[in-house]
Amino acid sequence: MPRNIFSDPLLTKAFSSVLSPDGNKLHAKAISWSIAAGILEGLSLGLIVPTISGLIDFGGLDSISWWLGAMAVLALAAIWVFFQQQRTAYMCAIDILNNLHQRIGDKLARLPIGWFGPRRTGTVSQLSTEGIMSIGGAIAHGECELIRTITALATTNLVILVWRPQLGLALFAGALLVALCLYLDRMLRDRGHQLNVSDRDEVSRRIVEFASCQPALRAAGRSQDYEPLADALAADKKSSLAKFLLSTAALIISNFASQITVVVLFVTATALWAGGHLHPVALIAFLGVALRFKVLLEQFVAQFTAADLVRGPIGEVEEILETTELPEPDSVPKDSTKQAMPAPGMVEFHEVGFGYDSDTSVLNGVSFQASPGTLTAIVGPSGSGKTTLFRLMCRFWDINSGAVRMGGVDVREQTSAQLMRQITMVFQDPYLYDDTLLANIKMGSASMSPGPDAVSAGDADVFAAAEMAGVRDIAQRLPGGWDCPVGSGGRKLSGGERQRVSIARALLKNAPIVLLDEATSALDPENEARIQDCIATLRRSSTVMIIAHNLNTIVAADQIVVLNSDGTVESIGKHDALLESSPIYAGFWQSRRSAAGWSLSR
Ligand SMILES: Nc1ncnc2c1ncn2[C@@H]1O[C@H](COP(=O)(O)OP(=O)(O)OP(=O)(O)O)[C@@H](O)[C@H]1O
Ligand SMILES: [Mg+2]
């Protein structure tokens, strides 16, 4: 969570949490160098006035030669320490840039799929493009510089306090006023941000919706005046104005603080001079120091703001790094992916209860079993939980009650590698990588699957699988043939074509369990026949589970699991028996047949 300004004002703890162990050692050094640099800078500045006073009081260069020598040494030491501070601070920034991408990537690979929603995906992409860069910049230009400035201010103040307590107290009061105004500035900006943030989000959401739903909006004749977007823009305009006014007030307060500090210092010093407590030359020297003190205060405000800007991104990184990973058994030996499952190809649901959130349950008391080498069709109304069943088999989410066993072992007692090695998934709208057609099929070969015994599929196997799934036709159509890049997500191919590539992958992987979400859209008879052939081939070596829409698939199934709309199992059986016993199945069958090949999902 974003850290509170009081619990971690300089973000030191926050930076520690995003640095690597080596980076943390460097960070401690960078902070030490920053403090040392600040002390030297403060001493050099603070000692100017006593030195000049010494010149006046004792008369003659000899009496202050010691002071001058000390100041020269201080100046040289300050240069060297400043260099060390910059070097270590930049190395911390490089540590963040080098390691944080890797750490976030490693973490994402272990998070439950349920964690990845549109908001999270947006946050991760924002972090990887800008966020991490800004965190790295803030440690070098924000935190370390800020520590140096604060130490320089404190040291200068201390020296002047010892020399002339009244002037020291005036400097202290000025610094306190600036800190107070900075706090007010932050409060006002936060308030402005809170007023506007939900309206900003709503505008972004509506713009994305407006852009991505153009076909639907045009079909409904609403592409010109899309009210939800217009309303969101109007609300944003109103709250943006309030935010702007608050930010302006904050800016005025910040500027006011350093100006008023200088006035207070001038008045106090002049009063001391008028009372005969300060020599005119010392007064002028002090006024010079006061102006430099003002610059340091302004630097403090700017550096604090620069460091503070990354409070949000650091909070987001911490949230990702602290998210609980999908627990995996740690007693499983490293080479366990080689070991055979006790019941390869067996799928079992035992009294499974599941909901995506605690308020709603999607599946209730679901029990069924699919024996190795059989074909199971899953049917049920839209929203009854068919896709959810598949997700639970892949352990994208953990169930609330009961057990899901794949290959005879509870999915929670297997490592992801063991589980994924058993399963191939063919989704309705498969994702293809931005690579060639051939490389996308090869993705299914053992070399791409987890496991130390992975063997690369030979080209003959790849082409055989591609031929069977009907990918050769696609290769012939594309300009570069098998080597043609398919574009990001496979956008050069149609939905049906992407599914054929995905089926070729499944044939090649030859996993014990195949999960197939059948296309709801009508396929042409030739493709239909191909898919049926592929299913028949897959069935020879694997347990096949299909969310079925096609009548041929359903009739050919060894068993059909019929789900109720409340996520319970209505009945399990073969086609003929279910027609008699299951009202949902009989209705489903009837509507399919009357649609005569149309596949409206009901
Ligand atoms: N990621 C998710 N987060 C929250 N709820 C979800 C999520 N995915 C699905 N649901 C909800 O779970 C229920 C079951 O969804 P599921 O996709 O499993 O249904 P389905 O039977 O596959 O439907 P369809 O035939 O339309 O594909 C639905 O009410 C849906 O709104
Ligand atoms: Mg579905």
Side-chain angles (χ1 to χ4, degrees):
M1 292 305 293
R3 286 170 192 274
N4 183 288
I5 186 168
F6 289 115
S7 67
D8 193 13
L10 304 184
L11 284 159
T12 306
K13 288 185 214 156
F15 282 122
S16 296
S17 73
V18 295
L19 283 159
S20 70
D22 283 344
N24 264 308
K25 287 182 198 152
L26 271 172
H27 190 215
K29 281 187 193 165
I31 291 177
S32 308
W33 285 121
S34 304
I35 293 173
I39 291 175
L40 290 176
E41 192 177 338
L43 282 178
S44 315
L45 183 61
L47 287 179
I48 289 177
V49 189
T51 309
I52 290 178
S53 287
L55 183 70
I56 299 156
D57 293 345
F58 301 108
L61 204 60
D62 289 350
S63 62
I64 58 149
S65 59
W66 188 91
W67 284 103
L68 290 176
M71 285 187 71
V73 171
L74 271 181
L76 287 176
I79 292 172
W80 185 73
V81 171
F82 177 70
F83 168 73
Q84 294 297 339
Q85 180 231 325
Q86 294 288 314
R87 189 180 64 85
T88 44
Y90 274 95
M91 281 164 75
C92 287
I94 289 168
D95 177 87
I96 286 181
L97 297 184
N98 282 349
N99 296 313
L100 213 46
H101 281 114
Q102 183 74 36
R103 279 176 71 195
I104 291 178
D106 289 349
K107 184 75 187 190
L108 292 181
R110 294 195 300 268
L111 288 180
I113 298 290
W115 183 87
F116 296 88
R119 184 182 77 80
R120 254 72 179 262
T121 317
T123 304
V124 171
S125 87
Q126 173 77 12
L127 275 179
S128 55
T129 48
E130 289 174 27
I132 293 179
M133 197 67 161
S134 64
I135 296 173
I139 202 168
H141 303 298
E143 188 213 22
C144 289
E145 298 284 292
L146 186 59
I147 291 175
R148 181 162 62 91
T149 306
I150 292 175
T151 320
L153 282 167
T155 313
T156 312
N157 202 163
L158 206 67
V159 173
I160 301 288
L161 196 70
V162 171
W163 176 64
R164 287 288 192 283
Q166 302 95 320
L167 289 177
L169 284 174
L171 282 180
F172 184 69
L176 215 59
L177 180 70
V178 168
L180 188 73
C181 289
L182 184 62
Y183 179 67
L184 272 176
D185 170 297
R186 229 193 88 97
M187 294 252 293
L188 290 173
R189 282 179 204 274
D190 274 0
R191 181 85 194 103
H193 177 72
Q194 279 162 16
L195 279 179
N196 180 244
V197 66
S198 58
D199 291 333
R200 273 288 75 196
D201 284 353
E202 180 66 5
V203 167
S204 311
R205 214 169 59 76
R206 290 296 182 185
I207 287 177
V208 170
E209 185 180 73
F210 184 67
S212 56
C213 302
Q214 272 296 309
L217 288 172
R218 284 186 195 189
R222 298 189 60 192
S223 63
Q224 289 299 317
D225 47 357
Y226 183 49
E227 270 168 41
L229 178 57
D231 291 349
L233 284 169
D236 179 54
K237 191 175 165 190
K238 214 167 142 193
S239 57
S240 290
L241 183 66
K243 181 182 171 181
F244 171 73
L245 289 175
L246 286 170
S247 306
T248 310
L251 197 70
I252 292 170
I253 288 175
S254 300
N255 282 337
F256 160 82
S258 53
Q259 296 301 337
I260 201 93
T261 302
V262 173
V263 174
V264 170
L265 291 176
F266 271 52
V267 169
T268 317
T270 316
L272 280 178
W273 164 74
H277 303 291
L278 205 61
H279 192 279
V281 178
L283 169 69
I284 292 167
F286 175 77
L287 293 182
V289 170
L291 286 175
R292 174 72 192 139
F293 195 79
K294 172 189 172 259
V295 171
L296 280 177
L297 284 175
E298 284 167 353
Q299 269 180 20
F300 163 72
V301 173
Q303 288 156 356
F304 185 88
T305 312
D308 202 49
L309 279 179
V310 294
R311 214 172 274 274
I314 292 187
E316 282 159 359
V317 170
E318 285 182 322
E319 191 188 329
I320 294 175
L321 295 179
E322 284 164 14
T323 305
T324 317
E325 295 167 14
L326 209 55
E328 291 209 3
D330 36 52
S331 57
V332 180
K334 272 210 150 66
D335 64 345
S336 59
T337 42
K338 278 184 185 169
Q339 291 168 6
M341 287 282 139
M346 179 73 107
V347 177
E348 288 166 276
F349 270 61
H350 177 72
E351 293 291 329
V352 170
F354 171 74
Y356 287 97
D357 47 59
S358 48
D359 307 336
T360 43
S361 77
V362 172
L363 296 174
N364 293 294
V366 172
S367 295
F368 68 86
Q369 196 172 329
S371 303
T374 57
L375 170 63
T376 299
I378 298 167
V379 299
S382 182
S384 56
K386 303 181 293 294
T387 302
T388 305
L389 282 180
F390 277 13
R391 289 175 178 159
L392 299 183
M393 290 179 207
C394 302
R395 206 188 168 201
F396 288 172
W397 276 265
D398 266 344
I399 54 175
N400 302 339
S401 58
V404 177
R405 294 190 199 97
M406 304 293 275
V409 180
D410 193 310
V411 290
R412 289 165 295 194
E413 287 158 21
Q414 305 183 34
T415 60
S416 318
Q418 279 176 312
L419 182 61
M420 286 306 144
R421 196 158 177 267
Q422 296 180 65
I423 304 175
T424 291
M425 293 161 278
V426 180
F427 292 111
Q428 267 190 7
D429 193 13
Y431 186 89
L432 300 192
Y433 300 91
D434 191 4
D435 206 331
T436 65
L437 189 59
L438 197 63
N440 264 289
I441 301 170
K442 280 188 174 178
M443 240 358 87
S445 79
S447 62
M448 293 292 182
S449 312
D453 59 341
V455 181
S456 184
D459 278 356
D461 294 337
V462 177
F463 286 118
E467 178 78 49
M468 167 130 244
V471 184
R472 180 176 292 280
D473 299 350
I474 309 172
Q476 279 167 356
R477 177 179 75 74
L478 292 173
W482 294 104
D483 295 324
C484 176
V486 296
S488 126
R491 67 189 148 78
K492 287 192 189 164
L493 308 189
S494 73
E497 288 173 333
R498 286 204 298 274
Q499 199 171 42
R500 275 189 268 161
V501 174
S502 184
I503 289 177
R505 277 182 195 166
L507 289 163
L508 199 59
K509 183 170 173 185
N510 199 17
I513 299 162
V514 177
L515 309 178
L516 202 156
D517 205 340
E518 211 172 48
T520 40
S521 53
L523 293 173
D524 60 73
E526 197 186 331
N527 265 320
E528 189 67 69
R530 270 189 201 287
I531 303 277
Q532 290 304 319
D533 286 349
C534 289
I535 292 174
T537 306
L538 287 167
R539 195 175 171 180
R540 269 183 239 137
S541 55
S542 312
T543 309
V544 183
M545 314 268 317
I546 303 187
I547 297 174
H549 303 280
N550 184 284
L551 298 181
N552 292 323
T553 314
I554 298 170
V555 176
D558 296 301
Q559 65 171 350
I560 303 159
V561 176
V562 184
L563 290 183
N564 269 318
S565 50
D566 64 357
T568 53
V569 174
E570 196 241 12
S571 40
I572 300 177
K574 282 197 172 255
H575 170 70
D576 293 333
L578 286 179
L579 273 185
E580 301 289 322
S581 65
S582 161
I584 292 189
Y585 184 72
F588 169 82
W589 181 258
Q590 223 30 61
S591 65
R592 287 284 151 162
R593 268 177 40 128
S594 54
W598 285 69
S599 325
L600 288 172
S601 177
R602 264 184 41 83

